[in-house]
């Protein structure tokens, strides 16, 4: 059941965003920012976390989940450290994801090259 | 008096296109004109490490081939007019520096082929050179990096976007026609009409001005360029006191299917009906249905390879007598686009006829 929820909710989010890609003139970068911000706002409104508890990776892996994670990190750091936490929490919470993306894409770039689109 | 009308020149002595060459990528090779290109790359890297070097290589090969066909050496060319789509024209500068020919680097977006041919023709007609060359190119992968995203980013493309042509074209223009079958050695000027020795010349040009209709959609360049093409063609008819009937074909550069429709409509409103003789290099070069190329091909390479491989051959074999070649350009940069500016268009008209 856990897998099933992650699968259909993750798929649903991707499908909705695909509609944004196809039907609006927004560039991919803008859609990305929109998703992260929406995730943070939904997190702040206490909506995203219950949703993420239900859907697991289906809600955490898409960019909305990243926004939520940033919010969570900032909130916890502010609770622990006060004002300075605004600047620390986001990166601390997302450190694993960001570092993994950087390191893994570097490794991949060592043995693969972009090809022409067909 | 060679100046005619507001924006045109009618050359007293029309310069000749004595040879040309086209180098194209794999997708273009699989398209409807595939059999007509001089060289089709085995892959789109042309043996190079980067896409930019690949594009430079296409320019180098195209010019080398065109020189070879005309039996000329690089030092017999007085001026080179060249351009591409990349920032600072790097495909041209790195591709052409080894030839050691005095260079004017040009940027006219996808209209550069017409700009280069116009300037080369003017230079020769004015007596500043006996021979000059025009070289232009574009490469799908380097243009994506320049204007959209690097291919490594693997973004999705909307189906309405045009597809930048991977290709480079080179033209050698001269005061005197080449001898039969390009075998002349410069003792030309003779009325040699031997086999294949047809003489293709540029009797006049019309230079376009920037036309901005305030279109802000970088994925719909055809609509941005069509008003510029309309303006140019209407001005051309006025300057030369002629109409669509003077030409067997009116060939635009890369308006694509969307832009073609707009152009025909706009010209109809001005009282010119070009529907039966309009063709667009961007539509001819790909089979949109089977190749997934959206509205058609684009880029400086699009009109450059299509003119050389397709239309010049038809002029040579006599199936066309006279065409108006109108490469069109969308003058956008990633900077101006991100700053919310519109996409202005430009077009250049070159009359090409069988002499």
């Amino acid at each position: 059941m856990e897998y099933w929820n992650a699968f259909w909710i993750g798929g649903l989010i991707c499908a909705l965003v695909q509609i944004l890609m196809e039907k609006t003139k927004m560039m991919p970068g803008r859609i990305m920012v929109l998703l992260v911000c929406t995730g943070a706002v939904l997190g702040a409104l206490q909506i995203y976390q219950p949703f993420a508890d239900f859907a697991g990776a289906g809600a955490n892996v898409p960019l909305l989940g990243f926004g939520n994670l940033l919010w969570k990190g900032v909130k916890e750091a502010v609770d622990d450290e006060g004002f300075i936490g605004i600047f620390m929490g986001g990166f601390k919470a997302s450190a694993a994801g960001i570092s993994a993306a950087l390191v893994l894409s570097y490794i991949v770039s060592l043995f693969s090259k972009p090809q022409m689109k067909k | 008096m060679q100046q005619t009308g507001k924006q045109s020149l009618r050359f007293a002595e029309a310069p000749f296109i004595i040879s040309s060459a086209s180098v194209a990528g794999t997708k273009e090779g699989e398209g409807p004109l595939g059999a007509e290109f001089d060289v089709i790359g085995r892959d789109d890297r042309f043996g190079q490490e980067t896409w930019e070097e690949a594009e430079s290589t296409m320019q180098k090969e195209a010019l080398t081939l065109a020189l070879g066909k005309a039996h000329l050496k690089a030092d017999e060319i007085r001026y080179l007019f060249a351009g591409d789509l990349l920032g600072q024209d790097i495909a041209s500068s790195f591709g052409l520096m080894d030839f050691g020919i005095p260079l004017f680097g040009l940027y006219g977006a996808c209209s550069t082929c017409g700009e280069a041919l116009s300037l080369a023709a003017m230079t020769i007609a004015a007596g500043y050179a006996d021979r000059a060359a025009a070289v232009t190119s574009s490469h799908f992968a380097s243009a994506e990096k320049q204007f959209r995203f690097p291919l490594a980013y693997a973004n999705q493309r909307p189906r309405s976007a045009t597809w930048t042509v991977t290709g480079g074209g080179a033209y050698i223009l001269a005061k005197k026609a080449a001898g039969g079958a390009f075998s002349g050695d410069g003792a030309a000027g003779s009325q040699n009409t031997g086999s294949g020795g047809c003489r293709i010349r540029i009797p006049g040009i019309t230079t376009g001005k920037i036309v901005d209709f305030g279109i802000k959609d970088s994925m719909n360049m055809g609509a941005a360029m069509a008003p510029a093409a309309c303006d140019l063609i209407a001005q051309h008819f006025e300057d030369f006191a002629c109409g669509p009937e003077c030409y067997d074909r009116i060939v635009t550069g890369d308006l694509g299917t969307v832009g073609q429709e707009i152009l025909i409509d706009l010209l109809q409103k001005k009282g010119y009906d070009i529907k039966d003789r309009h063709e667009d290099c961007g539509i001819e070069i790909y089979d949109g249905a089977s190749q997934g190329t959206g509205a058609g091909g684009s880029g400086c390479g699009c009109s450059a390879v299509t003119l050389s491989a397709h239309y010049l051959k038809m002029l040579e074999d006599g199936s066309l007598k006279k065409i108006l070649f109108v490469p069109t350009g969308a003058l956008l940069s990633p900077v101006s686009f991100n700053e919310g500016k519109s996409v202005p268009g430009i077009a250049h008209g070159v009359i090409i006829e069988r002499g």
Side-chain angles (χ1 to χ4, degrees):
Chain A
M1 198 59 198
E2 215 173 310
Y3 288 121
W4 167 243
N5 285 340
F7 175 76
W8 79 262
I9 295 214
L12 183 69
I13 294 175
C14 293
L16 291 175
V17 176
Q18 187 66 39
I19 293 174
L20 278 186
M21 294 278 289
E22 306 265 337
K23 297 291 174 197
T24 69
K25 296 200 185 300
M26 274 193 282
M27 292 307 226
R30 207 163 272 195
I31 292 179
M32 193 169 84
V33 172
L34 181 78
L35 284 173
V36 174
C37 292
T38 310
V41 171
L42 291 176
L45 296 173
Q46 316 273 325
I47 298 173
Y48 208 79
Q49 198 50 51
F51 174 60
D53 292 340
F54 169 71
N60 286 328
V61 173
L63 282 165
L64 286 169
F66 183 68
N68 180 48
L69 184 67
L70 287 178
W71 158 256
K72 246 170 51 183
V74 170
K75 185 176 176 295
E76 279 162 20
V78 169
D79 289 347
D80 293 350
E81 324 237 356
F83 179 74
I84 194 78
I86 298 176
F87 305 102
M88 296 171 61
F91 276 113
K92 224 183 233 172
S94 55
I98 292 178
S99 305
L102 284 175
V103 172
L104 292 176
S105 41
Y106 178 73
I107 293 173
V108 168
S109 77
L110 291 179
F111 32 143
S112 59
K113 269 187 176 174
Q115 298 295 317
M116 285 287 281
K117 287 190 184 181
K118 292 289 168 197
Chain B
M1 193 61 180
Q2 302 195 69
Q3 296 169 34
T4 178
K6 263 168 68 183
Q7 291 170 223
S8 303
L9 293 174
R10 191 197 300 268
F11 298 124
E13 271 185 70
F16 293 89
I17 300 179
I18 56 170
S19 80
S20 78
S22 56
V23 176
T26 47
K27 195 179 187 82
E28 293 68 29
E30 289 158 8
L33 307 182
E36 304 187 65
F37 298 121
D38 292 321
V39 173
I40 296 167
R42 224 177 332 149
D43 61 24
D44 293 290
R45 283 190 189 272
F46 290 87
Q48 303 297 320
E49 275 297 304
T50 67
W51 302 119
E52 289 72 20
E53 284 170 346
E55 186 173 344
S56 291
T57 304
M58 291 193 298
Q59 289 211 3
K60 195 183 290 179
E61 286 188 14
L63 181 56
T64 306
L65 270 169
L67 284 169
K69 286 189 193 179
H71 297 283
L72 290 171
K73 291 196 287 285
D75 60 9
E76 293 174 276
I77 306 293
R78 182 118 185 143
Y79 285 117
L80 199 50
F81 296 88
D84 55 82
L85 292 178
L86 306 181
Q88 292 79 39
D89 268 351
I90 50 172
S92 306
S93 41
F94 286 94
L96 302 174
M97 64 179 164
D98 292 339
F99 289 98
I101 306 171
L103 167 81
F104 289 104
L106 310 175
Y107 188 83
C110 315
S111 73
T112 311
C113 180
E115 188 181 359
L117 283 173
S118 297
L119 289 168
M122 283 165 74
T123 305
I124 289 168
Y128 298 142
D130 289 333
R131 296 186 197 90
V135 188
T136 47
S137 69
S138 56
H139 192 300
F140 174 80
S142 63
E144 285 290 300
K145 193 192 283 183
Q146 177 78 43
F147 292 99
R148 296 184 176 114
F149 297 99
L151 291 186
Y153 178 76
N155 67 308
Q156 299 178 8
R157 293 167 51 82
R159 291 194 71 86
S160 64
T162 50
W163 191 280
T164 306
V165 166
T166 300
Y171 301 83
I172 313 274
L173 276 69
K175 199 175 175 62
K176 293 171 178 166
F182 297 129
S183 60
D185 56 359
S190 59
Q191 298 296 313
N192 191 339
T193 49
S195 61
C198 108
R199 296 136 41 100
I200 294 172
R201 62 188 183 192
I202 299 181
I205 59 167
T206 303
T207 304
K209 52 182 194 277
I210 296 174
V211 178
D212 186 2
F213 260 42
I215 293 198
K216 292 201 171 176
D217 184 1
S218 73
M219 294 296 178
N220 192 359
M221 310 264 245
M225 297 186 287
C230 164
D231 187 77
L232 185 284
I233 294 170
Q235 187 66 47
H236 176 85
F237 290 155
E238 199 177 296
D239 288 352
F240 285 87
C242 64
E245 67 284 351
C246 300
Y247 298 99
D248 297 328
R249 292 271 200 295
I250 293 170
V251 181
T252 49
D254 51 0
L255 295 181
T257 46
V258 182
Q260 178 179 46
E261 220 168 283
I262 301 174
L263 172 66
I264 290 172
D265 275 1
L266 287 174
L267 275 171
Q268 204 127 41
K269 283 185 193 135
K270 294 199 176 206
Y272 299 110
D273 181 10
I274 62 161
K275 197 168 183 171
D276 58 334
R277 61 200 65 210
H278 178 258
E279 282 180 6
D280 185 73
C281 299
I283 299 174
E284 301 297 314
I285 196 165
Y286 295 126
D287 179 1
S290 71
Q291 293 192 285
T293 43
S298 65
C300 320
C302 178
S303 47
V305 296
T306 309
L307 176 67
S308 168
H310 188 54
Y311 291 106
L312 285 190
K313 286 201 183 111
M314 286 167 80
L315 284 160
E316 266 165 36
D317 70 21
S319 49
L320 292 176
K321 295 272 186 293
K322 190 175 184 183
I323 66 170
L324 178 61
F325 177 56
V326 188
T328 40
L331 299 171
L332 101 156
S333 86
V335 177
S336 63
F337 178 72
N338 285 331
E339 290 176 350
K341 290 266 195 256
S342 60
V343 182
I346 194 164
H348 294 293
V350 181
I351 308 171
I352 305 174
E353 69 175 10
R354 192 184 150 83

